[in-house]
């Protein structure tokens, strides 16, 4: 007989995952805050960081779906009490995804200028974007390596070690950001935007080394590839393919938003950079409960414990909504001080304050969408997630952002499109889950 899940059990996974999840957006937010307070070319530099961060996020999200795929498969085998059957899968997945990241570097590095021209970057913004990217991209393999190991730990129902790794990486990034961006008199010359890029790469390297250490020391799973390929590698590859297509749709939306913001002018793209990175931060905080949903839903599905699966979804809706409301309330309370953390440029701040309320209003809705995203990933329902995001991007986000651009709504239009996009992603997931698993729960 199954035991009812408690808030303590969920939080034991959710809170460490929450802390670990904010590491990537904190890297970009730290860069934006420190660069935004430079004495020279701060607005241009922060605009460049925003453009590059959008492109890097696309790459990381496309290939970083390894985490969800590994977590889903491992957690289902844990639930079925048959972990031995997939012990060699993580090492094979880590090898494949890290090798692919090297290919991405070789393909994108020579064409960095052409890539960022597609985002409407020009002049100094384009030059700074290229400088920043050509350094930061070398942290890409380390990030994907770390993400894959985080996925393995999640599948093992452990979010504690990823949390420790993320905390160390964040502090390393902040320390090196301050040292390399501003310099130390008579010791290290100020490197400005390039210093921020180097700081991020150093932090990503440290996180990768710590990930390898904890995987070797704290688990029985090997991170070195061992042949022959595990039979589950086919399901893993299919999950990755579906998530790949899904993430392309997601990043098509981010590309449109960034390119429109860049078109509106330097102050608008700088304000957009601050707002979208704060949105990412809120999303990754909420992702703590999405991660708990991912981890536990896979395990409960493997154990065929449908009653607790439905119970889990109900609790996650409640807890996630509360977290979303807390994030929105904190943002509202510190509405104006938050903007001044990143810049003192009045034009940028005015543009940011004009639309920050939309970002805050979205948080409870984001909670529902992201949590059920996590649950469906844990269940291995990647095809449904793919189709839903394609539909919501092509038939909601795209027409809305084009229409609001024609009305000259500028950043308001961009974030209205994001708001409707989130609604279109979240509601169908809740309906689909309840239609599928409530009858199963009632029959067991």
């Amino acid at each position: 007989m199954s035991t009812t899940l408690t808030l303590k059990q969920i939080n034991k996974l959710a809170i460490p995952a929450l802390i670990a999840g904010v590491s990537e957006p904190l890297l970009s937010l730290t860069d934006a805050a420190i660069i935004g307070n430079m004495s020279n070319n701060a607005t241009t530099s922060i605009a460049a960081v925003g453009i590059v961060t959008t492109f890097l996020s696309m790459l990381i999200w496309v290939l970083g779906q390894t985490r969800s795929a590994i977590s889903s498969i491992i957690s289902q085998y844990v639930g079925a009490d048959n972990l031995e059957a997939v012990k060699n899968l993580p090492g094979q997945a880590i090898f494949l995804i890290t090798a692919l990241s090297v290919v991405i570097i070789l393909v994108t590095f020579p064409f960095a200028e052409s890539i960022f021209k597609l985002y409407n970057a020009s002049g100094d913004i384009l030059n700074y974007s290229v400088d920043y990217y050509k350094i930061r991209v070398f942290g890409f393999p380390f990030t994907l390596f770390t993400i894959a190991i985080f996925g393995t730990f999640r599948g093992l129902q452990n979010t504690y070690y990823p949390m420790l790794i993320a905390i160390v990486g964040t502090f390393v990034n902040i320390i090196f950001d301050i040292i390399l961006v501003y310099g130390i008199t008579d010791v290290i010359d100020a490197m400005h935007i390039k210093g921020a890029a180097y700081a991020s790469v150093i932090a990503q390297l440290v996180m990768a080394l710590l990930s390898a250490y904890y995987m070797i020391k704290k688990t029985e799973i090997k991170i070195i590839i061992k042949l022959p390929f595990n039979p589950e590698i086919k399901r893993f590859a299919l999950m990755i393919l579906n998530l790949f297509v899904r993430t392309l749709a997601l990043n098509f939306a981010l590309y449109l938003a960034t390119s429109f913001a860049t078109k509106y002018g330097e102050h608008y793209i700088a304000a957009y950079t601050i707002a979208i990175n704060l949105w990412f931060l809120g999303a990754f905080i909420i992702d703590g409960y999405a991660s708990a949903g991912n981890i536990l839903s896979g395990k409960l599905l493997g154990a065929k414990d449908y009653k607790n699966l439905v119970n889990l979804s109900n609790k996650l809706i409640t807890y996630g909504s509360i977290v979303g409301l807390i994030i929105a309330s904190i943002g509202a309370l510190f509405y104006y001080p938050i903007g001044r953390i990143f810049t003192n440029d009045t034009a940028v701040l005015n543009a940011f304050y004009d639309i920050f309320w939309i970002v805050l209003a979205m948080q409870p809705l984001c909670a529902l969408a992201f949590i059920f995203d996590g649950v469906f990933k844990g269940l291995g329902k990647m095809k449904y997630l793919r189709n839903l995001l394609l539909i919501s991007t092509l038939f909601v986000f795209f027409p809305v952002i084009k229409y609001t651009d024609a009305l000259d709504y500028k950043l308001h239009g961009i974030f209205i499109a994001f708001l409707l996009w989130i609604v279109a992603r979240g509601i169908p997931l809740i309906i689909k889950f309840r239609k599928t698993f409530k009858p199963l729960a009632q029959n067991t």
Side-chain angles (χ1 to χ4, degrees), residues 275-289:
I276 199 68
N277 276 294
L278 287 168
W279 185 61
F280 288 155
L281 179 62
F284 278 95
I285 289 173
I286 293 165
D287 192 55
Y289 284 92

Side-chain angles (χ1 to χ4, degrees), residues 78 86 105 313:
V78 167
V86 288
I105 292 175
S313 73

Side-chain angles (χ1 to χ4, degrees), residues 326-348:
I326 291 171
I327 293 170
S329 299
I330 292 172
L333 186 63
F334 298 100
Y335 199 89
Y336 293 100
I338 286 173
R340 289 192 290 270
I341 291 172
F342 298 95
T343 183
N344 292 314
D345 188 310
T346 303
V348 175

Side-chain angles (χ1 to χ4, degrees), residues 424-444:
R425 288 173 55 185
I427 292 175
L429 289 177
I430 297 172
I431 295 171
K432 175 73 172 176
F433 179 88
R434 292 186 176 279
K435 281 187 176 180
T436 303
F437 291 104
K438 274 193 124 181
L440 291 173
Q442 290 166 357
N443 294 329
T444 56

Side-chain angles (χ1 to χ4, degrees), residues 218-293:
K218 302 298 181 179
T219 77
E220 297 179 3
I221 291 178
K222 308 298 182 185
I223 59 174
I224 298 174
I225 185 170
K226 184 179 179 182
L227 298 176
F229 279 109
N230 190 285
E232 285 285 11
I233 201 75
K234 292 181 181 178
R235 184 157 72 111
F236 170 78
L238 188 59
M239 285 183 178
I240 292 294
L241 182 61
N242 282 321
L243 289 171
F244 175 81
V245 174
R246 177 181 183 275
T247 311
L248 286 179
L250 186 154
N251 284 285
F252 175 63
L254 289 173
Y255 161 74
L256 283 176
T258 305
S259 61
F260 275 118
T262 306
K263 181 182 76 170
Y264 300 145
E266 185 176 272
H267 293 121
Y268 285 105
I269 182 58
Y272 166 83
T273 297
I274 298 169
I276 199 68
N277 276 294
L278 287 168
W279 185 61
F280 288 155
L281 179 62
F284 278 95
I285 289 173
I286 293 165
D287 192 55
Y289 284 92
S291 297

Side-chain angles (χ1 to χ4, degrees), residues 58-69:
M58 179 194 73
L59 296 178
I60 291 168
W61 288 348
V62 166
L63 299 179
Q65 298 302 322
T66 314
R67 177 175 60 187
S68 296

Side-chain angles (χ1 to χ4, degrees), residues 81-393:
D81 197 23
N82 189 24
L83 180 61
E84 190 67 34
V86 288
K87 274 190 174 179
N88 65 336
L89 178 65
Q92 295 168 359
I94 289 167
F95 171 78
L96 291 173
I97 206 68
T98 306
L100 185 56
S101 71
V102 175
V103 174
I104 295 293
I105 292 175
L106 294 175
V107 170
T108 62
F109 188 89
F111 303 104
E113 184 173 332
S114 299
I115 290 168
F116 296 119
K117 281 182 178 178
L118 293 174
Y119 287 82
N120 291 322
S122 60
D124 285 341
I125 292 179
L126 176 61
N127 294 333
Y128 285 8
S129 296
V130 172
D131 288 344
Y132 184 67
Y133 179 75
K134 284 192 170 182
I135 298 167
R136 252 202 92 172
V137 72
F138 286 101
F140 190 48
F142 305 134
T143 297
L144 292 181
F145 179 88
T146 301
I147 285 172
I149 290 184
F150 279 15
T152 304
F153 272 118
R154 284 186 180 189
L156 295 171
Q157 315 295 292
N158 186 321
T159 56
Y160 176 71
Y161 293 119
M163 176 189 71
L164 294 182
I165 294 162
I167 289 171
V168 172
T170 300
F171 276 106
V172 168
N173 184 65
I174 292 170
I175 291 166
F176 278 94
D177 246 339
I178 294 169
I179 292 172
L180 298 179
V181 171
Y182 299 140
I184 299 175
T185 306
D186 298 327
V187 179
I188 298 175
D189 291 335
M191 300 174 70
H192 305 299
I193 193 170
K194 289 184 178 181
Y198 282 121
S200 294
V201 174
I202 293 168
Q204 289 160 331
L205 172 59
V206 169
M207 290 173 68
L209 292 173
L210 284 174
S211 297
Y213 171 80
Y214 280 115
M215 183 61 68
I216 292 167
K217 292 293 184 180
K218 302 298 181 179
T219 77
E220 297 179 3
I221 291 178
K222 308 298 182 185
I223 59 174
I224 298 174
I225 185 170
K226 184 179 179 182
L227 298 176
F229 279 109
N230 190 285
E232 285 285 11
I233 201 75
K234 292 181 181 178
R235 184 157 72 111
F236 170 78
L238 188 59
M239 285 183 178
I240 292 294
L241 182 61
N242 282 321
L243 289 171
F244 175 81
V245 174
R246 177 181 183 275
T247 311
L248 286 179
L250 186 154
N251 284 285
F252 175 63
L254 289 173
Y255 161 74
L256 283 176
T258 305
S259 61
F260 275 118
T262 306
K263 181 182 76 170
Y264 300 145
E266 185 176 272
H267 293 121
Y268 285 105
I269 182 58
Y272 166 83
T273 297
I274 298 169
I276 199 68
N277 276 294
L278 287 168
W279 185 61
F280 288 155
L281 179 62
F284 278 95
I285 289 173
I286 293 165
D287 192 55
Y289 284 92
S291 297
N294 177 293
I295 295 163
L296 290 170
S297 63
K299 182 180 179 181
L300 293 171
L301 180 67
K304 295 183 169 56
D305 188 354
Y306 302 119
K307 284 185 178 178
N308 258 329
L309 186 56
V310 172
N311 180 44
L312 170 69
S313 73
N314 293 333
K315 290 182 182 298
L316 288 173
I317 288 174
T318 301
Y319 304 149
S321 297
I322 291 171
V323 171
L325 288 170
I326 291 171
I327 293 170
S329 299
I330 292 172
L333 186 63
F334 298 100
Y335 199 89
Y336 293 100
I338 286 173
R340 289 192 290 270
I341 291 172
F342 298 95
T343 183
N344 292 314
D345 188 310
T346 303
V348 175
L349 286 172
N350 288 339
F352 168 71
Y353 293 142
D354 248 7
I355 48 89
F356 187 39
W357 65 271
I358 305 177
V359 176
L360 298 178
M362 289 168 63
Q363 295 307 308
L365 297 171
C366 288
L368 297 178
F370 298 154
I371 283 171
F372 274 85
D373 250 15
V375 169
F376 272 72
K377 286 175 182 176
L379 299 172
K381 305 292 185 182
M382 313 307 187
K383 183 178 178 181
Y384 184 78
L385 288 173
R386 177 200 70 191
N387 293 341
L388 180 60
L389 196 67
L390 283 171
I391 291 168
S392 57
T393 300

